[in-house]
Amino acid sequence: MKISFLNQSFKDYIDKYRKIISQFSLSDYPFLRTLKDEQFIREIYLKVLKTATELANCTDALVIVGIGGSILLSRGILQGQNCNNVYFLGQGLDFDAFDKTLKMLKGKKLSLAFISKSGTTIECKLMFEYLKNFVEKENIVVISSKNSQIYKDADKDDISCFEIPESVGGRFSFFTPVGMFPLAYAKLDFLKFYNGFLQEIKSFENDIFNSNEFSYACARKELSNNFQVESVISFDYKIQSLLPCICQLLAESLGKENKGIYPSPCYFSEDLHSIGQFMQEGKKCFFETFITCAKDEKNNSKNFNFNDEINNIKSIYKKYNSIACNSSIKAHADGGNKIINIELDSLSEEECGRLIAFFILSVLLYAKLDGVNPLNQGGVENYKSNMKKFLNE
Ligand code: PA5
């Protein structure tokens, strides 16, 4: 992974931020201590893998009920891998949104996973209570804080339970049963993502001031003086699927105390035919962060065969996509837009794990620069408690 800048010089302001970051230490974040404990995470994973594999072998599909940080990353990864036996329900309160999925699930033998740190989030509780009626008890899994009522009740009722460690909040919880279970059911290799995550943290710790995270956090901080919006852009489906999660991480961790930058996901090339117009000629209220990929994880040309239509069309698409990416970066840069380019080495699971660590660490650095607490979400909690209050009235 490497980071570069167009129309701005990162070196101009770096010294300004060194002083603040010299007081930064990862040991101030207990959730990272938990996630970095490789033995602990691997032990939990083995247990989760066993349950998920048993359920995958005896059911047709898994329904995951959860919202926000508790599901966004696993949903993005599964979507990016075109996984077709895991469904997500309960991400809102308009039942119409679930109708299509519920109809598709009719007649299937289901596993059901409830994923909520608090265990009290209304959107999820409502859907879970409804779906429980159609799923055999032994095919239900509850993933929550050990202190939540739903965990205690499920445990008493002999339902399989996995704990979300107390120190780990929703949007930071992918490397716990929160991400392990969905990936394991879908037969994706969670440990490859985890290895990439650990590698990135190690290289960051070795040299914070020369890290990509430091460059990105400082550039964002400097750009926040003139811009309110960060367009987070990708041309690659696997990365596009992660944009909701990346934007959530940036927004929910850093949008507080009247500070922060509003992150807006952009799906190119489709959006180039709509909001792309604004981005080139509209009001300059934003800067752009591209997440691009240097090369694909598989070199299709090795197996290239003119008779193989799929390989042929795939390589044509790949070429066009890469030309579209370079063309739009050039056009936007020529128009004077400020651009950050985060270039991945590949779209492999390990590199994806690195990208997750990159954004988490950048968020922590930026929070330090902006003087906010990245781990809370007061606004979200206000909504949740109002909702409960009004429901009880
Ligand atoms: O990142 C966060 O903390 C939030 O997005 C939560 O994950 C979200 O509000 C859901 O909360 P819970 O996991 O308690 O249901």
Side-chain angles (χ1 to χ4, degrees):
M1 190 192 304
K2 75 173 194 258
I3 191 160
S4 54
F5 303 91
L6 293 173
N7 292 336
Q8 61 167 341
S9 167
F10 169 65
K11 296 205 167 58
D12 289 350
Y13 46 77
I14 189 162
D15 286 339
K16 214 161 77 178
Y17 298 118
R18 270 180 185 268
K19 212 169 151 212
I20 309 175
I21 296 303
S22 60
Q23 288 145 28
F24 175 89
S25 165
L26 279 192
S27 55
D28 291 342
Y29 301 93
F31 85 92
L32 272 181
R33 267 206 304 279
T34 308
L35 300 184
K36 275 167 57 190
D37 187 340
E38 210 175 331
Q39 200 188 337
F40 171 71
I41 296 295
R42 280 175 182 273
E43 273 167 21
I44 299 174
Y45 178 61
L46 287 182
K47 292 184 195 148
V48 172
L49 181 64
K50 185 169 177 293
T51 305
T53 309
E54 280 164 14
L55 290 181
N57 288 341
C58 72
T59 57
D60 303 319
L62 165 67
V63 177
I64 294 178
V65 174
I67 199 165
S70 302
I71 56 129
L72 276 172
L73 189 47
S74 48
R75 186 169 75 172
I77 288 174
L78 295 177
Q79 182 188 316
Q81 301 284 342
N82 287 321
C83 173
N84 58 10
N85 63 345
V86 181
Y87 298 82
F88 290 83
L89 287 174
Q91 291 79 44
L93 289 167
D94 182 355
F95 199 77
D96 286 351
F98 311 124
D99 224 28
K100 192 173 143 206
T101 310
L102 287 167
K103 281 192 182 120
M104 261 163 35
L105 293 173
K106 227 173 161 193
K108 287 193 196 295
K109 189 168 182 201
L110 298 179
S111 292
L112 174 63
F114 174 80
I115 308 185
S116 166
K117 170 92 186 278
S118 61
T120 58
T121 305
I122 300 294
E123 287 89 339
C124 318
K125 270 190 83 178
L126 205 56
M127 182 54 80
F128 184 59
E129 290 306 324
Y130 170 68
L131 289 176
K132 256 170 51 179
N133 301 315
F134 309 105
V135 181
E136 288 164 34
K137 200 168 91 174
E138 54 272 27
N139 297 339
I140 298 177
V141 172
V142 166
I143 299 172
S144 185
S145 157
K146 224 175 180 165
N147 297 323
S148 72
Q149 197 53 45
I150 204 154
Y151 185 104
K152 290 178 190 161
D153 292 346
D155 202 28
K156 226 192 254 165
D157 208 13
D158 282 335
I159 287 175
S160 298
C161 292
F162 294 105
E163 182 191 351
I164 305 176
E166 224 38 64
S167 64
V168 189
R171 58 192 171 279
F172 303 103
S173 64
F174 176 76
F175 293 104
T176 72
V178 165
M180 292 172 184
F181 187 81
L183 265 67
Y185 186 95
K187 303 204 183 319
L188 298 182
D189 193 342
F190 169 86
L191 290 179
K192 286 189 179 164
F193 292 88
Y194 184 55
N195 287 341
F197 174 79
L198 286 180
Q199 279 165 23
E200 184 62 24
I201 292 186
K202 268 182 207 142
S203 70
F204 172 79
E205 278 179 310
N206 277 345
D207 193 353
I208 293 183
F209 291 118
N210 279 313
S211 68
N212 290 327
E213 290 82 356
F214 181 64
S215 310
Y216 178 57
C218 294
R220 282 183 102 245
K221 179 69 183 134
E222 194 64 16
L223 288 164
S224 74
N225 295 326
N226 297 313
F227 302 100
Q228 274 96 47
V229 177
E230 175 179 23
S231 292
V232 189
I233 304 164
S234 170
F235 277 82
D236 297 281
Y237 180 62
K238 278 187 187 157
I239 302 171
Q240 288 178 349
S241 308
L242 303 179
L243 292 185
C245 153
I246 290 170
C247 289
Q248 182 231 1
L249 186 62
L250 295 166
E252 206 172 350
S253 310
L254 303 171
K256 48 196 68 161
E257 296 179 28
N258 222 358
K259 296 178 186 173
I261 303 164
Y262 181 84
S264 165
C266 283
Y267 306 90
F268 281 8
S269 64
E270 184 177 0
D271 285 350
L272 283 172
H273 299 264
S274 54
I275 57 172
Q277 165 60 31
F278 184 99
M279 295 176 84
Q280 276 185 253
E281 295 183 346
K283 188 174 177 188
K284 298 284 180 221
C285 55
F286 63 92
F287 63 93
E288 298 173 54
T289 298
F290 282 81
I291 308 175
T292 57
C293 178
K295 57 181 180 304
D296 211 349
E297 73 268 40
K298 274 187 205 130
N299 183 355
N300 284 331
S301 63
K302 249 192 199 165
N303 309 321
F304 190 81
N305 169 358
F306 275 103
N307 295 324
D308 185 337
E309 293 293 332
I310 287 290
N311 270 351
N312 195 6
I313 191 74
K314 263 189 179 174
S315 70
I316 291 170
Y317 263 90
K318 209 171 137 187
K319 185 171 153 201
Y320 277 44
N321 203 21
S322 141
I323 292 173
C325 179
N326 294 337
S327 310
S328 62
I329 292 182
K330 187 174 177 333
H332 290 203
D334 289 349
N337 291 3
K338 307 278 186 195
I339 293 176
I340 301 174
N341 186 9
I342 301 162
E343 194 180 342
L344 306 181
D345 295 340
S346 73
L347 297 176
S348 69
E349 292 90 335
E350 285 86 355
E351 190 71 354
C352 174
R354 293 190 91 110
L355 186 68
I356 298 163
F358 167 84
F359 275 104
I360 290 179
L361 296 167
S362 301
V363 156
L364 300 183
L365 286 179
Y366 187 96
K368 186 83 182 170
L369 295 175
D370 228 10
V372 296
N373 177 357
L375 308 183
N376 63 16
Q377 55 284 324
V380 174
E381 301 308 335
N382 282 346
Y383 154 69
K384 287 186 183 178
S385 65
N386 275 347
M387 181 84 188
K388 280 171 204 153
K389 200 169 96 200
F390 293 137
L391 278 172
N392 286 333
E393 270 174 9

